[in-house]
């Protein structure tokens, strides 16, 4: 009798565990990320990781247009930051939902015709206009290759795929001044070495007029935004397309750059 009672008392917990595992399996099957990760992942030895990390960092500083080197730099030096980012996401219901569902942002997963039709000043419309104005495509984001932990690999992929969204939401162009400004916000929020390096060394390439604007206007705003706004990685943008930018700013404690 005692054994039967014990078994019955454990049934709800066992059922919960089974459901949780089933949900994880379904989520994995539905997400394209797992397939992409399996086909692109490359295992590195410690020596290869150090070599790639140091080489890509120097190349990135010398030539910021090398997106492939910046991507490698981020992947080979970002473990601590990615763990921090995952922990920040897991403490937020919305961030945890993103981690569970692993959504992707590209032309196959997002209906851009629907975004174009949205009212002005909504997140979706702002994002669509940004891509069109700057002639940018979300399909240009490179797949993660050198991160062994699949959860951390997704966090990096998500960071890449919302990068243009952060540009759009914060109203920063894709020129050097805009990129350096965004890198400061991202660096302070994510702690990724590549973002911090980009913020520090990218300013050197600014033209005199841009540098003055950067020091007096953009940098103070970027530092404040990076330190005081809510964690942007926790924004499930795909479920917020119709949200107004003003409402998003209030929710995420963002002040528009004047």
């Amino acid at each position: 009798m005692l054994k039967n009672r014990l078994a019955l008392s454990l049934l709800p917990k066992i059922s919960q565990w089974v459901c949780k595992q089933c949900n994880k399996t379904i989520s994995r099957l539905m997400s394209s990320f797992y397939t992409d990760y399996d086909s692109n992942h490359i295992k590195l030895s410690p020596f290869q990781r150090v070599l790639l990390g140091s080489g890509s960092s120097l190349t990135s500083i010398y030539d910021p247009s090398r997106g492939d080197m910046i991507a490698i730099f981020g992947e080979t030096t970002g473990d601590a930051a990615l763990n921090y980012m995952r922990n920040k996401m897991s403490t937020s219901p919305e961030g945890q939902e993103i981690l569970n569902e692993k959504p992707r942002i590209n032309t196959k997963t997002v209906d851009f015709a629907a975004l174009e039709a949205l009212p002005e000043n909504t997140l979706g419309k702002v994002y669509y206009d940004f891509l069109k104005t700057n002639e940018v495509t979300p399909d240009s984001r490179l797949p993660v290759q050198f991160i062994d932990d699949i959860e951390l690999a997704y966090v990096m992929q998500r960071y890449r795929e919302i990068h243009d969204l952060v540009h759009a939401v914060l109203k920063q162009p894709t020129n050097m001044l805009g990129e350096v400004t965004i890198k400061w916000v991202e660096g302070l929020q994510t702690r990724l070495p590549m973002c911090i390096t980009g913020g520090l060394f990218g300013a050197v390439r600014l033209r005199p007029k841009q540098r003055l604007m950067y020091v007096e206007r953009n940098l103070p705003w970027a530092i404040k935004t990076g330190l005081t706004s809510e964690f942007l990685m926790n924004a499930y943008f795909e479920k917020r397309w119709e949200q107004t930018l003003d409402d998003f700013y209030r929710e995420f404690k963002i002040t528009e750059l004047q």
Side-chain angles (χ1 to χ4, degrees), residues 121-231:
N121 203 46
T122 56
L123 291 185
K125 179 64 171 174
V126 167
Y127 179 45
Y128 174 84
D129 289 345
F130 172 85
L131 295 177
K132 185 176 180 181
T133 300
N134 294 281
E135 299 182 343
V136 179
T137 171
D139 296 334
S140 64
R141 296 300 162 190
L142 295 171
V144 174
Q145 293 180 289
F146 305 114
I147 299 175
D148 296 332
D149 185 304
I150 194 166
E151 287 292 314
L152 298 186
Y154 175 73
V155 172
M156 176 60 84
Q157 192 70 48
R158 180 68 177 178
Y159 159 76
R160 288 179 185 170
E161 292 180 4
I162 70 165
H163 176 75
D164 289 332
L165 263 162
V166 174
H167 265 279
V169 166
L170 298 183
K171 299 183 179 181
Q172 291 302 304
T174 56
N175 60 19
M176 183 58 70
L177 178 59
E179 286 293 347
V180 173
T181 302
I182 291 299
K183 280 292 180 283
W184 271 107
V185 175
E186 291 178 336
L188 290 168
Q189 284 214 340
T190 68
R191 303 183 183 180
L192 283 166
M194 69 170 181
C195 295
I196 297 169
T197 303
L200 289 170
F201 290 97
V204 176
R205 294 179 173 272
L206 294 173
R207 297 190 298 273
K209 188 176 179 180
Q210 284 184 320
R211 191 174 297 121
L212 181 63
M213 187 182 297
Y214 167 73
V215 172
E216 294 183 349
R217 176 172 172 265
N218 289 51
L219 181 59
W221 174 84
I223 292 173
K224 179 185 176 183
T225 302
L227 290 175
T228 63
S229 64
E230 296 293 333
F231 195 52

Side-chain angles (χ1 to χ4, degrees), residues 102-117:
K102 294 180 173 53
R104 305 295 304 278
I105 297 178
N106 53 55
T107 54
K108 292 180 181 178
T109 62
V110 177
D111 185 350
F112 285 94
L115 298 191
E116 182 183 12

Side-chain angles (χ1 to χ4, degrees), residues 68-86:
D68 55 339
M69 290 293 103
I70 293 172
I72 293 172
F73 180 32
E75 292 181 33
T76 53
T77 62
D79 274 3
L82 289 170
N83 271 294
Y84 167 78
M85 293 162 69
R86 177 176 60 181

